Amino acid sequence: MASRTIRLGLVGAVALTAASFTASATAAPAPTGQDHRATQEAMDAAVEAGVPGVAGQAKDKYGTWKGTSGVGNLRTGKPRSAHDRYRVGSITKTFVSTVLLQLEAEGRLSLDDKVDQWLPGVVRGNGHDGTRVTLRQLLNHTSGIFNYTADEEFGRTFFLKDGFFKHRYDTTTPEQLVRIAMSHKPDFAPGTSWNYSNTNFILAGMVIEKATGHSYGEEIRRRIIQPLGLHATSAPGTNPKVPQPSSRAYGKLAETATGPTYDVTELNPSLAGAAGEMISDSGDLNRFYSALLRGKLLPKAQLAEMKTTIKIDEIPDAGYGLGLMERKLSCGTVVWGHGGGIHGSSSEALTTDDGRHSLSFNFNGDWSGDSEAVIEAEYCAK
């Protein structure tokens, strides 16, 4: 975890390293009335600190601003584009939670249902008990279910160099990922504490499929992507490619931020599934979070449930709702959204409470850069 971002991936030391290339910064002219120079400077600073490139967009009452810095391809020096598509990691969780809340609004399930009611016998073993865990506890990470990405063997297989290059195209099923979690003891008894667990959203995706007869990705397409016209957004399943336009993604494939840099663009995203497999771009993410906070995707009751947060001790001035984070910035502005990290990609997407000022951006490297500085610059710079 770095810069307040909760990421899907291997948690290692995050250090700032000197950029090994010349940064090229570009930005569309700021619409009249809104100055995004501080945001651009924060993006440039991330590149100077070692991020290969940054791409993002901000949207407010003055219009849309597009900013980039650095490169999208270390070999060719091709700059990043503000329209790049990228792996959004755990930002996927907000999409999944929105679908489950829509199903609740339709009376097809209740967030107070026990997991075992929908997935009999799946959450069981080493103290895990699906008859004691509710769907709500999956979505707000109070289930206590072990996080499968914290399993050491899983980390060696998919996040470290030797394992990654051997297994990057392997397909993993949700059932396999849950079984990894069940091989460990729970973190705590359901409802007694908070701990971020990707397993929670793997299970949430399985519940969506059980309740609808369709994959979680198909339900997201039907309920969110198509109605909002999110043309750059997809749940790729097992497809290892990132559609164009896009940049390359880079990682260290190590527990430290030193050493060689590897191109990790291609991978089978089933290792993340409903916890973090989706692809999008900054414009689509701004449209999604703005629509969500403005009540375009959920009835008032369900949106209120989603925004009911639990304080996160690890992150000052932040709370976690149902697949949605609340943050109070240094200037007092409150924003809602989610961060996401996966191999070679670190992203943030957020909007104000009224959905009228949105920011989404991506680093195409996973070992460096201060995403919080970019957020603060956009919302708090004078």
Side-chain angles (χ1 to χ4, degrees), residues 15-25 40-54 69-71 363 367-370 374:
L16 300 181
T17 59
S20 58
F21 50 87
T22 301
S24 66
Q40 182 65 58
E41 289 170 2
M43 288 181 171
D44 295 343
V47 171
E48 290 169 6
V51 176
V54 187
S69 187
V71 299
F363 296 166
W367 69 91
S368 182
D370 187 352
V374 180

Side-chain angles (χ1 to χ4, degrees), residues 87-164:
R87 300 190 190 278
V88 303
S90 288
I91 292 171
T92 302
K93 292 177 170 67
T94 313
F95 287 84
V96 171
S97 184
T98 300
V99 170
L100 268 178
L101 284 161
Q102 288 179 346
L103 292 172
E104 182 191 57
E106 295 163 9
R108 299 172 68 174
L109 53 75
S110 167
L111 293 192
D112 294 321
D113 290 344
K114 299 297 194 292
V115 173
D116 210 63
Q117 178 179 333
W118 292 98
L119 306 172
V122 172
V123 179
R124 194 159 299 166
N126 286 306
H128 287 96
D129 184 355
T131 67
R132 300 177 58 207
V133 178
T134 66
L135 302 186
R136 188 186 313 276
Q137 289 168 340
L138 296 181
L139 299 184
N140 66 12
H141 295 297
T142 60
S143 71
I145 294 173
F146 183 84
N147 179 12
Y148 75 91
T149 59
D151 176 83
E152 289 187 9
E153 183 177 354
F154 185 88
R156 286 192 297 270
T157 301
F158 292 105
F159 293 113
L160 298 183
K161 177 190 170 186
D162 292 344
F164 175 79

Side-chain angles (χ1 to χ4, degrees), residues 32-93:
T32 302
Q34 178 66 31
D35 187 347
H36 298 271
R37 282 180 295 181
T39 310
Q40 182 65 58
E41 289 170 2
M43 288 181 171
D44 295 343
V47 171
E48 290 169 6
V51 176
V54 187
Q57 296 187 34
K59 185 173 177 59
D60 58 22
K61 64 181 179 180
Y62 301 107
T64 299
W65 173 83
K66 302 170 184 177
T68 66
S69 187
V71 299
N73 189 313
L74 288 172
R75 182 177 58 83
T76 67
K78 180 182 177 181
R80 291 214 65 176
S81 165
H83 298 284
D84 274 351
R85 300 180 184 190
Y86 46 83
R87 300 190 190 278
V88 303
S90 288
I91 292 171
T92 302
K93 292 177 170 67

